[in-house]
Amino acid sequence: MGSLEMAAAQVLRGPMDNWGESGTGLVGTSPITDTSTDFENDERNHNNLVGHQQGAQPYMDLSIITNEKTGDHRTLKRLAQNREAAKKSRLRKKAYVQQLENSRVKLIQLEQELQRARQQGIFIASGMAGENGYSTGGNGALVFDMEYARWLDEHQRHISDLRSALNAQMGDEDLRVLVDAIMMHYDELFRLKSIGTKSDVFHILSGMWTSPAERFFMWIGGFRSSELLKVLVAQLEPLTDQQLMGICNLQQSSQQAEDALSQGMEALQQSLAETLASACLGPSASSDNVSNYMGQMAIAMSKLSTLENFLRQADLLRQQTLQQMHRILTTRQAARALLVISDYFARLRALSSLWLARPRE
């Protein structure tokens, strides 16, 4: 019995030792027969299979790790791009808010300038403001721009009311009230321009208070009456023969007046240029040369003062053209004509905005 127990212990100890070495678990064997050769072969094949699998595993893990690293890199890059885009967006928003704040401050400053100008009587049509309600203070151009902007806002409200009335088929009597209000509002514009001309004739003449596209078509500080009538004729059809003849005569007379004023402006420019050319001090600033220089400059100033008359006559021509047009047309036609005029200048302002906002290479 002792030898039999030792043999059984030897058989059982062999598989346990092999299990501990291979790490693959206990392999079942028969406790009765000796299968050492088959057992060793099975163990060798099993170890080779396990070894092969264990050798292939690191390659598969490396591929997965590489893909994971690539995915992580792309994710990090995308997050970095998102952070950069968010940063730029915040900077743009901050710049936009700062621009709005600067505009608000400038508007407040302009309002303060206007208030001071009113208090000083620079641009108020009152007895304290001088003859005809104007003054030659240095803020005249600034105040005129402010007054014109307010006039334009009010004018757009008048036009909006008139457009609504036409769309609603309002009666002629009610329509006439709106038309007359707009005509009086145009009279207010010419009054403002007359005051502004006395304050700064070059500012009114240059048209810097209008949009760039309006300045492109400007003639002596405003629109050409003859050109405006051409626009109206095409938009107001049908017209009676008498109305058509009246508008054609008005257009012809306006063209003649414009030609006369243009020739007068050219003559003034030529005369002023000749006067300034002769007002040269020369190589030596002697008393005679200085006296001649001052005399010529005084003559030039006198000639330049006639520039205000040309501007006033051009505005008077524009005002009279509108009034004559109002008389020729019926109330409903006059209402449509005022809308056509307003829409024409609105398109010029829109064109200016598009031009200034165009992409630049």
Side-chain angles (χ1 to χ4, degrees):
M1 284 298 293
S3 58
L4 182 59
E5 290 175 354
M6 291 177 62
Q10 182 66 29
V11 171
L12 292 175
R13 186 167 53 248
M16 292 298 292
D17 293 340
N18 291 334
W19 176 82
E21 292 176 357
S22 63
T24 59
L26 180 63
V27 180
T29 59
S30 173
I32 302 175
T33 61
D34 185 6
T35 59
S36 61
T37 302
D38 294 338
F39 178 80
E40 290 175 358
N41 291 336
D42 293 341
E43 184 181 24
R44 188 180 300 111
N45 293 335
H46 181 72
N47 290 338
N48 290 337
L49 177 60
V50 173
H52 175 74
Q53 291 177 348
Q54 289 177 347
Q57 187 64 31
Y59 174 79
M60 294 178 62
D61 292 344
L62 179 61
S63 175
I64 295 174
I65 292 173
T66 302
N67 291 336
E68 290 179 352
K69 289 184 176 180
T70 303
D72 292 342
H73 176 71
R74 291 177 179 175
T75 302
L76 293 175
K77 183 178 180 181
R78 190 159 52 246
L79 290 175
Q81 291 174 347
N82 292 340
R83 285 194 296 269
E84 184 66 21
K87 181 180 178 181
K88 292 181 178 179
S89 177
R90 288 193 298 270
L91 291 176
R92 286 195 298 267
K93 181 178 180 181
K94 183 178 180 181
Y96 178 70
V97 172
Q98 184 62 40
Q99 183 180 3
L100 290 179
E101 180 64 20
N102 293 338
S103 299
R104 186 184 69 83
V105 172
K106 289 181 180 179
L107 181 60
I108 293 176
Q109 291 175 349
L110 289 175
E111 291 285 355
Q112 292 174 350
E113 286 286 339
L114 178 61
Q115 186 63 28
R116 284 194 294 268
R118 290 182 181 279
Q119 292 175 355
Q120 296 171 5
I122 291 178
F123 204 72
I124 303 176
S126 64
M128 297 294 292
E131 184 182 357
N132 294 330
Y134 56 73
S135 176
T136 57
N139 293 330
L142 172 64
V143 179
F144 174 80
D145 290 350
M146 297 287 293
E147 293 290 344
Y148 175 73
R150 294 186 180 186
W151 179 91
L152 188 59
D153 289 340
E154 187 175 352
H155 178 73
Q156 291 173 346
R157 288 194 293 270
H158 283 301
I159 291 297
S160 178
D161 293 341
L162 182 61
R163 196 185 307 275
S164 300
L166 280 175
N167 293 334
Q169 299 296 323
M170 185 177 290
D172 288 350
E173 290 298 327
D174 295 331
L175 203 60
R176 184 178 294 110
V177 174
L178 298 177
V179 171
D180 291 342
I182 294 178
M183 294 299 297
M184 291 177 61
H185 197 56
Y186 272 114
D187 292 339
E188 175 65 14
L189 173 62
F190 293 120
R191 188 188 70 83
L192 291 175
K193 290 184 66 178
S194 178
I195 298 173
T197 298
K198 188 66 177 180
S199 177
D200 190 346
V201 63
F202 290 107
H203 181 70
I204 306 299
L205 191 64
S206 66
M208 294 305 296
W209 39 280
T210 61
S211 64
E214 288 177 288
R215 291 198 296 271
F216 179 71
F217 291 97
M218 184 164 286
W219 170 80
I220 312 184
F223 60 85
R224 283 183 176 270
S225 301
S226 59
E227 294 297 327
L228 195 62
L229 289 172
K230 291 180 182 178
V231 176
L232 289 177
V233 170
Q235 298 290 330
L236 295 180
E237 295 178 352
L239 296 171
T240 65
D241 293 340
Q242 184 177 0
Q243 288 177 328
L244 189 58
M245 182 178 296
I247 292 180
C248 289
N249 291 336
L250 180 59
Q251 183 178 351
Q252 184 178 2
S253 61
S254 297
Q255 184 67 61
Q256 293 174 352
E258 290 168 1
D259 293 341
L261 288 173
S262 296
Q263 293 174 3
M265 286 286 289
E266 292 177 1
L268 174 61
Q269 290 176 347
Q270 182 65 29
S271 175
L272 189 59
E274 294 174 353
T275 301
L276 293 175
S278 63
C280 181
L281 283 174
S284 61
S286 62
S287 59
D288 292 338
N289 287 337
V290 172
S291 177
N292 178 67
Y293 172 81
M294 295 302 296
Q296 293 297 324
M297 293 301 291
I299 295 175
M301 288 287 293
S302 177
K303 292 180 178 180
L304 193 60
S305 63
T306 61
L307 187 61
E308 296 179 11
N309 294 330
F310 281 106
L311 186 52
R312 287 197 180 92
Q313 290 178 30
D315 273 345
L316 181 60
L317 174 62
R318 287 183 274 264
Q319 186 177 20
Q320 291 177 347
T321 300
L322 289 175
Q323 293 172 351
Q324 288 293 331
M325 177 207 69
H326 185 204
R327 296 188 185 98
I328 293 173
L329 301 175
T330 65
T331 300
R332 196 162 295 274
Q333 288 174 334
R336 289 169 51 199
L338 291 173
L339 290 183
V340 169
I341 295 173
S342 177
D343 291 344
Y344 175 74
F345 287 107
R347 285 191 290 270
L348 287 178
R349 289 190 292 271
L351 177 61
S352 298
S353 300
L354 291 174
W355 175 255
L356 293 175
R358 73 191 187 282
R360 294 174 175 83
E361 296 181 357

